Amino acid sequence: MLGFLPATPWPLGPSVGVFAVAGLITILGSIRLVALGDALADRTGWGEAVFGVVFFGVATGLSGIVMTAVTAAGNHPQLGYSNAVGGIAAQTTAVAVADAFHRRVNLEHAAASSSNLLFGCLLIALLALALLGSYSPNVTIGGVHPISVVIVACYLGGLRLIRTAGTRPMWQAVGTKETQPDVPQDHGALDRQRMGTLWGRFALVGVVVAASGWAVSLAAESVVETTGLTTGFTGGVLLGIVNGLPETVTAIAAVRRGAVTLAIAAVLGGNILDVITLVVGDIAYRQGSIYHAAGSEDLFITTSGLFMTAILLAGLLVRQTCGWGRLGFEGVLLLATYLGMTIILAT
């Protein structure tokens, strides 16, 4: 796949061209994923929150996994690390962008659910573990740092805990006239297709998105080598934006379809999988631990993502009906934080 691409480094022009084409493929694929995923969430009975975090997280996160794996295996561990955590920052900002498309009320108000809150808590725990890995002893077993095993165990345990909590919730968000509950909807022709066909199409689009991630990772390596830009800025901002495109487009498309719970869940799912992506990068990087290869810029991006996740959780808890400039307070703070992070990395 993509074997026709010439060896890197490429000149700057072709690298930018690959970025643009792969980004367009990602956008188109993500729009299609929303329709298929919304139908599958209802057909399977899992609901938008769980389906969005687990399956959308995998489908939209495949490109990021490929980016990190390729760059880490190519002896660019910092680029792989910053791509993963930069995607988290970009994707969390996507909530503010999607909020602008939800005209009636603040998106976090309409999409409040216990599942999304718990998934946000899981994301904070996983990001904290990644930071702990960077500050723990530089020890690997079979080339893999022990914190990678802990991250996977925390992820699987968290999914089981949240799934169980969803069957017997001890509390739930108070419904208002603006709350949009997750209820089955009419999906037109998709409702008449077999379940296996829907799953097949969903997987195929996910593979196409992943292929675009491979091309972007090669272009990013060329940009670093030909322009002299830092890996923190290239991976955390440029790659992070492309990495965050699937979740951004998915969130906007879901809002337009009225699937607001899916919009938030897709972002959280993509972010959670980006932390798991660090585990893939740790396995792919054979010279040591990817957590200890991370530089100060990479840890700065990780901390920014942690802070932005806390802001998002606050928005889901406060449930502001309307806020500053048609956005909730959390939307403005998310945009300001991401802009500040980008300026610092660029200077």
Side-chain angles (χ1 to χ4, degrees):
M1 185 167 53
L2 297 181
F4 60 86
L5 293 176
T8 57
W10 308 328
L12 184 59
S15 297
V16 173
V18 170
F19 257 103
V21 173
L24 179 61
I25 293 174
T26 299
I27 291 174
L28 296 177
S30 300
I31 292 174
R32 191 56 187 157
L33 279 175
V34 172
L36 294 168
D38 194 17
L40 283 168
D42 290 341
R43 293 274 291 274
T44 59
W46 288 328
E48 293 176 3
V50 173
F51 190 92
V53 168
V54 178
F55 293 99
F56 259 99
V58 172
T60 60
L62 279 175
S63 60
I65 290 176
V66 173
M67 290 182 206
T68 293
V70 170
T71 51
N75 204 28
H76 290 85
Q78 285 186 303
L79 191 59
Y81 186 103
S82 59
N83 162 64
V85 294
I88 292 173
Q91 288 154 198
T92 308
T93 309
V95 174
V97 178
D99 195 4
F101 286 83
H102 194 253
R103 303 289 185 180
R104 294 178 54 187
V105 71
N106 183 17
L107 176 59
E108 286 80 353
H109 177 103
S113 71
S114 58
S115 294
N116 278 339
L117 289 171
L118 289 171
F119 280 122
C121 292
L122 176 59
L123 174 58
I124 286 178
L126 294 175
L127 279 171
L129 285 173
L131 283 174
L132 287 173
S134 297
Y135 291 106
S136 63
N138 189 0
V139 177
T140 61
I141 301 174
V144 178
H145 194 280
I147 203 69
S148 291
V149 179
V150 177
I151 287 175
V152 173
C154 182
Y155 171 68
L156 296 176
L159 288 182
R160 181 177 180 183
L161 180 65
I162 294 170
R163 179 71 171 169
T164 303
T167 59
R168 296 195 308 269
M170 299 302 292
W171 65 273
Q172 59 185 1
V174 175
T176 70
K177 65 177 182 178
E178 298 294 351
T179 303
Q180 296 187 24
D182 178 13
V183 294
Q185 301 173 345
D186 179 24
H187 304 287
L190 292 178
D191 286 335
R192 296 188 291 273
Q193 295 186 8
R194 294 184 305 167
M195 185 80 77
T197 301
L198 290 177
W199 278 117
R201 294 175 62 184
F202 188 84
L204 178 61
V205 176
V207 170
V208 172
V209 173
S212 69
W214 186 0
V216 167
S217 65
L218 297 177
E221 291 179 1
S222 298
V223 169
V224 170
E225 294 184 23
T226 58
T227 65
L229 290 174
T230 65
T231 55
F233 180 80
T234 304
V237 178
L238 300 183
L239 268 183
I241 289 174
V242 176
N243 189 4
L245 268 178
E247 287 78 7
T248 303
V249 175
T250 296
I252 294 173
V255 166
R256 304 279 291 186
R257 291 177 62 89
V260 294
T261 301
L262 181 61
I264 300 294
V267 170
L268 289 173
N271 286 352
I272 289 172
L273 197 77
D274 275 341
V275 184
I276 305 301
T277 296
L278 290 176
V279 176
V280 176
D282 191 30
I283 296 172
Y285 179 54
R286 306 313 300 165
Q287 282 71 43
S289 162
I290 195 172
Y291 308 102
H292 290 85
S296 58
E297 287 185 335
D298 308 315
L299 299 180
F300 170 70
I301 299 169
T302 307
T303 309
S304 298
L306 194 59
F307 176 63
M308 294 172 74
T309 304
I311 293 175
L312 175 57
L313 275 178
L316 290 170
L317 286 168
V318 173
R319 300 187 68 198
Q320 192 176 26
T321 304
C322 59
W324 312 330
R326 299 185 65 86
L327 300 177
F329 76 91
E330 71 284 352
V332 176
L333 291 177
L334 288 175
L335 290 171
T337 302
Y338 189 75
L339 178 60
M341 184 195 78
T342 303
I343 292 174
I344 291 173
L345 289 173
T347 56

